[in-house]
């Protein structure tokens, strides 16, 4: 099987999690060839993870014919635009959560959460999602959403117990464990 060549966009906390995950891939060879980040810390990140190439603009990955997959680990406000560009360039995409949200547009009064109608925000997010879906479908490439709950230790253990017990449901309870802001909660927590 041909090795999978990855370009990762972002060099922060989530990118580090993804790099650790690439080290654990089995069943195929996946190598991270390049990392893109606007900050100077991209050089240290590349050195620490032995990534041979660094770029400042993700579009540079799109012209590299050896890159099969672009792994998007950027702030959520950039996700949809990057997904569409990557798909149009013929790349498979892994995108960190959340897929999208309403992050404001030029001319929006601030604070957005209080001064922009929720119905308008919803309408714009749905439109962005539709456009992104259309680009994904037209590309013929894979879009992979990086949601980590599937691999969370509690979920994995539950799956093992259910398989061993040959049962369907044991007991499931979930809650949000992220301590920072979420796409549904303004940064000031109100």
């Amino acid at each position: 099987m041909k090795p999978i060549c990855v370009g990762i966009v972002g060099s922060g906390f989530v990118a580090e999690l993804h790099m650790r995950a690439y080290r654990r891939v089995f069943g195929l060879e996946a190598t991270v060839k390049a990392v893109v980040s606007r900050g100077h810390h991209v050089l240290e990140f590349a050195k620490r993870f032995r990534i041979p190439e660094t770029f400042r603009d993700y579009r540079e990955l799109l012209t590299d014919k050896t890159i099969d997959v672009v792994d998007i680990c950027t702030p959520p406000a950039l996700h949809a635009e990057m997904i569409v560009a990557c798909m149009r360039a013929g790349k498979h995409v892994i995108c960190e959560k959340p897929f999208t949200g309403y992050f404001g547009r030029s001319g929006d009064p601030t604070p957005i959460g209080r001064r922009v109608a929720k119905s308008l925000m919803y309408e714009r997010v749905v439109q962005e999602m539709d456009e992104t879906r259309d680009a994904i479908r037209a590309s013929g490439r894979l879009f992979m959403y990086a949601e980590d709950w599937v691999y969370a230790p509690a979920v994995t253990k539950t799956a093992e117990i259910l398989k061993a017990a040959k049962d369907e449901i044991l007991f499931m309870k979930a809650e949000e464990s992220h301590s920072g802001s979420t796409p549904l909660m303004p940064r000031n927590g109100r």
Side-chain angles (χ1 to χ4, degrees):
M1 179 181 279
K2 173 187 172 283
I4 304 298
C5 188
V6 179
I8 191 165
V9 185
S11 58
F13 173 73
V14 169
E16 290 193 25
L17 294 176
H18 285 228
M19 288 305 302
R20 288 190 202 116
Y22 285 119
R23 291 179 175 166
R24 298 175 64 192
V25 170
F26 63 92
L28 60 91
E29 184 183 339
T31 56
V32 178
K33 177 185 179 185
V35 59
V36 179
S37 191
R38 293 182 298 178
H40 293 294
H41 60 281
V42 69
L43 300 173
E44 188 274 326
F45 184 92
K47 183 179 178 182
R48 187 162 25 107
F49 289 105
R50 296 187 179 116
I51 301 171
E53 296 180 41
T54 61
F55 299 109
R56 300 300 176 149
D57 187 328
Y58 79 95
R59 288 172 277 252
E60 293 181 74
L61 289 178
L62 306 184
T63 62
D64 185 335
K65 297 199 183 316
T66 66
I67 300 285
D68 302 302
V69 179
V70 176
D71 186 357
I72 301 171
C73 300
T74 62
L78 304 172
H79 290 177
E81 172 191 328
M82 288 181 172
I83 293 166
V84 170
C86 293
M87 288 292 170
R88 288 183 178 155
K91 306 297 183 190
H92 300 289
V93 174
I94 299 169
C95 184
E96 182 58 41
K97 64 184 185 311
F99 165 59
T100 191
Y102 191 77
F103 306 102
R105 292 193 179 176
S106 180
D108 279 350
T110 57
I112 294 166
R114 291 190 180 156
R115 302 241 169 96
V116 177
K118 290 183 181 20
S119 60
L120 180 61
M121 288 190 266
Y122 175 78
E123 181 182 307
R124 288 178 174 172
V125 167
V126 169
Q127 178 185 2
E128 184 174 67
M129 290 171 63
D130 288 344
E131 291 168 3
T132 306
R133 180 202 56 220
D134 292 346
I136 292 167
R137 285 182 176 164
S139 75
R141 299 294 181 202
L142 297 175
F143 173 73
M144 296 158 276
Y145 186 59
E147 174 57 68
D148 60 357
W149 277 106
V150 176
Y151 304 105
V155 173
T156 304
K157 185 65 176 175
T158 301
E160 289 174 18
I161 293 169
L162 292 173
K163 186 175 180 181
K166 296 184 174 137
D167 205 347
E168 293 178 15
I169 303 226
L170 182 65
F171 172 78
M172 295 189 106
K173 178 181 176 182
E175 61 184 59
E176 185 175 348
S177 63
H178 189 282
S179 60
S181 63
T182 70
L184 301 175
M185 183 174 62
R187 290 179 191 227
N188 64 8
R190 293 186 199 159

